[in-house]
Amino acid sequence: VVCGLGDVYKRQMLECGFCGGTLTRRSWHSGSQYNKVIWQCVTATKKGKKFCPDSKGIAEETIEQAFIESYRLLCQNNKDVLDEFIARTEETLSDSNASKQLAKVEKDIAALDAKRAKLVDMRLEEIIDKETYEQKYFDLSSQIEQLQKQRESLQESAETESTMKKRIAEFRRTLEENEVLDTFDRYVFESIVEKVIVGGYDEDGNKDPAMLTFIYKTCLLYTSDAADEAR
């Protein structure tokens, strides 16, 4: 499905490189032959230009063309590096054991819970005295609490691993199925781009409102200068 950025950026994927705010889609000269769709910093348009004086509107077509060019360079000039990066990332994720550790912790918690329940039954049946019961109950509860904290940390790690595996798989599949991109494609864009930073600073520290930085989901960067198109 080929479409414009208007259908894509409902997830606030465009970010101002000067103030960090999001960009909004606007139409200039709507309804006339001079109609032009641009993207502008929300901070500047809603609060006033003085709150983000360095940002400027950039044509939607410019962003789309810059992405097509970045994609071409990504697939052609960096193919070997990209393939190696994806393979290395996949290998690292496959070797990671956060999910296995999480499963073990879950099993240990269940076992301690069972011991604690059995301990309660023993006390109710007066098999053990109160002092022994309280000490053992405290020890078991402390172990369970520690494991629960460990479980929370492992759950976050496991979720991150799962997300990265899906991203890498989707990234690889997109590149394999779309080796050449002549027109802007929403599916390809959303599959591999994390966000686009509009505006920024060049190597000498000079402000450049036309700079476009594409941040890919593999953490690769591509920067383009659309100065001729920016207004």
Side-chain angles (χ1 to χ4, degrees):
V1 178
V2 178
C3 64
L5 292 177
D7 298 315
V8 171
Y9 291 122
K10 296 176 182 178
R11 294 182 291 131
Q12 300 181 331
M13 293 174 67
L14 264 69
E15 178 182 302
C16 177
F18 298 110
C19 72
T22 56
L23 270 67
T24 184
R25 190 175 190 258
R26 308 181 75 183
S27 292
W28 282 355
H29 310 296
S30 181
S32 72
Q33 61 177 325
Y34 303 106
N35 178 55
K36 186 177 184 179
V37 177
I38 65 163
W39 287 83
Q40 290 183 303
C41 174
V42 170
T43 302
T45 57
K46 290 190 175 182
K47 293 185 177 181
K49 191 66 178 176
K50 65 179 181 179
F51 290 97
C52 189
D54 300 312
S55 65
K56 292 185 179 181
I58 188 166
E60 180 170 279
E61 182 181 0
T62 298
I63 301 174
E64 293 176 353
Q65 290 302 316
F67 168 67
I68 293 173
E69 176 63 13
S70 76
Y71 184 86
R72 182 184 67 78
L73 293 174
L74 179 72
C75 293
Q76 294 180 2
N77 298 355
N78 300 294
K79 190 176 187 307
D80 293 340
V81 175
L82 189 60
D83 287 343
E84 181 181 351
F85 172 82
I86 293 176
R88 188 168 63 249
T89 304
E90 289 175 331
E91 183 179 354
T92 300
L93 289 172
S94 64
D95 291 340
S96 179
N97 57 2
S99 297
K100 294 178 182 178
Q101 289 180 356
L102 179 59
K104 183 180 183 304
V105 167
E106 292 279 12
K107 184 177 180 181
D108 291 343
I109 290 175
L112 290 172
D113 268 330
K115 285 185 178 181
R116 190 166 60 177
K118 183 177 180 181
L119 185 67
V120 172
D121 291 338
M122 291 174 67
R123 176 57 188 155
L124 291 174
E125 295 174 6
E126 297 185 351
I127 298 175
I128 58 175
D129 60 75
K130 181 180 179 181
E131 184 177 349
T132 302
Y133 164 77
E134 290 179 346
Q135 182 59 51
K136 288 183 176 294
Y137 190 92
F138 176 79
D139 291 342
L140 288 171
S141 296
S142 296
Q143 293 179 55
I144 291 173
E145 185 177 351
Q146 291 178 359
L147 286 173
Q148 287 174 335
K149 291 179 180 179
Q150 187 177 348
R151 178 175 63 184
E152 290 180 9
S153 177
L154 287 170
Q155 284 174 335
E156 293 181 3
S157 298
E159 288 175 4
T160 299
E161 287 178 8
S162 177
T163 299
M164 280 302 298
K165 286 179 181 179
K166 290 178 181 178
R167 281 187 172 189
I168 292 297
E170 187 174 20
F171 196 98
R172 178 187 284 280
R173 184 171 61 252
T174 300
L175 293 180
E176 290 175 348
E177 295 176 353
N178 301 273
E179 293 184 1
V180 178
L181 195 64
D182 296 320
T183 56
F184 183 80
D185 189 303
R186 171 182 178 176
Y187 171 77
V188 174
F189 183 89
E190 290 191 316
S191 295
I192 65 177
V193 174
E194 179 70 24
K195 66 179 177 179
V196 183
I197 299 176
V198 180
Y201 302 85
D202 63 21
E203 295 179 354
D204 298 321
N206 300 313
K207 298 172 183 176
D208 185 355
M211 179 182 291
L212 297 175
T213 302
F214 294 87
I215 301 180
Y216 286 86
K217 292 181 178 180
T218 56
C219 298
L220 292 172
L221 302 181
Y222 171 81
T223 300
S224 170
D225 193 332
D228 293 337
E229 295 291 341
R231 296 290 183 267

